[in-house]
Amino acid sequence: MHELSIAMSIVDMIEEEAEQRDVKINAVHLELGLLSGVVADALLFSYEIACSGTRLEGSRLVIKEVTIEVFCPACNMPKQLDSMQWLYCPECGTSTPEVIHGKELVITALEVQDERRTAHARSS
Protein backbone atom coordinates (compact mmCIF):
# COMPACT_ATOMS: atom_id res chain seq x y z
CA MET A 1 0.00 0.00 0.00
CA HIS A 2 1.85 3.08 -1.23
CA GLU A 3 -0.55 5.36 0.68
CA LEU A 4 1.40 4.55 3.86
CA SER A 5 4.67 5.80 2.35
CA ILE A 6 2.87 8.93 1.11
CA ALA A 7 1.37 9.50 4.57
CA MET A 8 4.79 9.04 6.19
CA SER A 9 6.28 11.60 3.80
CA ILE A 10 3.50 14.07 4.61
CA VAL A 11 4.03 13.57 8.35
CA ASP A 12 7.82 13.97 8.06
CA MET A 13 7.46 17.17 6.08
CA ILE A 14 4.82 18.69 8.35
CA GLU A 15 6.58 17.58 11.53
CA GLU A 16 9.70 19.46 10.42
CA GLU A 17 7.59 22.57 9.75
CA ALA A 18 5.88 22.24 13.15
CA GLU A 19 9.23 22.02 14.94
CA GLN A 20 10.63 25.05 13.12
CA ARG A 21 7.60 27.18 13.97
CA ASP A 22 7.03 25.62 17.42
CA VAL A 23 3.37 24.95 16.71
CA LYS A 24 1.00 22.06 17.23
CA ILE A 25 -0.67 20.79 14.06
CA ASN A 26 -4.42 20.35 14.38
CA ALA A 27 -5.15 19.55 10.73
CA VAL A 28 -3.44 19.10 7.39
CA HIS A 29 -5.47 20.08 4.32
CA LEU A 30 -4.71 18.23 1.11
CA GLU A 31 -6.00 18.42 -2.46
CA LEU A 32 -6.17 14.94 -3.97
CA GLY A 33 -6.88 14.47 -7.66
CA LEU A 34 -8.96 11.54 -8.84
CA LEU A 35 -6.12 10.61 -11.23
CA SER A 36 -3.39 10.82 -8.57
CA GLY A 37 -3.35 7.07 -8.05
CA VAL A 38 -3.99 7.54 -4.34
CA VAL A 39 -7.06 6.10 -2.61
CA ALA A 40 -8.43 8.72 -0.19
CA ASP A 41 -9.72 6.23 2.41
CA ALA A 42 -6.42 4.34 2.41
CA LEU A 43 -4.51 7.61 2.82
CA LEU A 44 -6.72 8.67 5.76
CA PHE A 45 -6.13 5.31 7.45
CA SER A 46 -2.39 5.45 6.73
CA TYR A 47 -2.16 9.02 8.02
CA GLU A 48 -3.35 7.95 11.47
CA ILE A 49 -0.72 5.21 11.55
CA ALA A 50 2.03 7.55 10.32
CA CYS A 51 1.15 10.16 12.98
CA SER A 52 1.38 7.70 15.86
CA GLY A 53 4.13 8.76 18.27
CA THR A 54 4.86 12.04 16.44
CA ARG A 55 4.02 15.71 17.03
CA LEU A 56 1.11 15.21 14.62
CA GLU A 57 -0.59 12.52 16.67
CA GLY A 58 -4.25 13.48 17.06
CA SER A 59 -4.25 15.78 14.03
CA ARG A 60 -6.71 15.38 11.17
CA LEU A 61 -6.07 14.94 7.48
CA VAL A 62 -8.70 16.88 5.54
CA ILE A 63 -8.92 15.76 1.92
CA LYS A 64 -10.54 17.79 -0.83
CA GLU A 65 -11.01 15.61 -3.88
CA VAL A 66 -10.18 17.33 -7.16
CA THR A 67 -12.28 16.31 -10.13
CA ILE A 68 -10.81 15.65 -13.54
CA GLU A 69 -10.65 18.60 -15.90
CA VAL A 70 -9.24 18.30 -19.41
CA PHE A 71 -8.68 20.68 -22.28
CA CYS A 72 -10.75 19.85 -25.34
CA PRO A 73 -8.93 20.86 -28.52
CA ALA A 74 -12.14 20.79 -30.60
CA CYS A 75 -14.19 22.97 -28.22
CA ASN A 76 -11.05 24.97 -27.37
CA MET A 77 -11.96 25.07 -23.69
CA PRO A 78 -11.63 23.16 -20.42
CA LYS A 79 -14.19 20.43 -19.71
CA GLN A 80 -14.92 18.51 -16.54
CA LEU A 81 -15.08 14.75 -17.00
CA ASP A 82 -17.74 12.54 -15.47
CA SER A 83 -15.55 9.43 -15.60
CA MET A 84 -11.84 8.89 -15.14
CA GLN A 85 -11.96 5.91 -17.48
CA TRP A 86 -12.54 7.86 -20.69
CA LEU A 87 -10.53 10.95 -21.57
CA TYR A 88 -13.02 12.25 -24.10
CA CYS A 89 -14.84 15.57 -24.16
CA PRO A 90 -18.26 15.00 -22.60
CA GLU A 91 -19.85 17.37 -25.13
CA CYS A 92 -18.26 16.68 -28.52
CA GLY A 93 -16.59 13.29 -27.94
CA THR A 94 -13.10 14.43 -29.02
CA SER A 95 -10.14 12.68 -27.39
CA THR A 96 -8.76 14.98 -24.68
CA PRO A 97 -5.29 13.86 -23.55
CA GLU A 98 -4.37 17.19 -21.90
CA VAL A 99 -5.30 16.90 -18.21
CA ILE A 100 -5.58 20.29 -16.47
CA HIS A 101 -6.69 19.06 -13.03
CA GLY A 102 -7.08 15.69 -11.40
CA LYS A 103 -3.50 14.59 -10.76
CA GLU A 104 -2.99 16.77 -7.67
CA LEU A 105 -1.46 15.61 -4.40
CA VAL A 106 -0.85 18.96 -2.74
CA ILE A 107 -0.79 20.16 0.85
CA THR A 108 -2.77 23.39 0.71
CA ALA A 109 -3.03 24.48 4.36
CA LEU A 110 -2.22 23.67 7.96
CA GLU A 111 -4.37 24.37 10.98
CA VAL A 112 -1.95 25.17 13.78
CA GLN A 113 -1.92 26.09 17.43
CA ASP A 114 0.97 28.13 18.83
CA GLU A 115 2.67 25.97 21.48
CA ARG A 116 4.16 29.03 23.22
CA ARG A 117 0.74 30.61 23.74
CA THR A 118 -0.71 27.31 24.96
CA ALA A 119 2.16 26.87 27.44
CA HIS A 120 1.78 30.49 28.60
CA ALA A 121 -1.99 30.08 29.07
CA ARG A 122 -1.44 26.91 31.13
CA SER A 123 1.09 28.59 33.42
CA SER A 124 -1.11 31.65 34.06
Side-chain angles (χ1 to χ4, degrees), residues 62-83:
V62 180
I63 296 176
K64 175 186 174 193
E65 288 192 338
V66 179
T67 57
I68 304 163
E69 186 178 20
V70 295
F71 183 81
C72 175
C75 297
N76 199 32
M77 61 189 317
K79 300 287 182 167
Q80 189 169 343
L81 297 187
D82 298 326
S83 168

Side-chain angles (χ1 to χ4, degrees), residues 62-110:
V62 180
I63 296 176
K64 175 186 174 193
E65 288 192 338
V66 179
T67 57
I68 304 163
E69 186 178 20
V70 295
F71 183 81
C72 175
C75 297
N76 199 32
M77 61 189 317
K79 300 287 182 167
Q80 189 169 343
L81 297 187
D82 298 326
S83 168
M84 68 174 140
Q85 297 170 343
W86 307 106
L87 295 180
Y88 293 97
C89 176
E91 295 192 22
C92 73
T94 300
S95 177
T96 54
E98 186 182 341
V99 177
I100 299 170
H101 294 289
K103 295 181 181 180
E104 292 84 353
L105 177 58
V106 180
I107 296 169
T108 57
L110 301 174

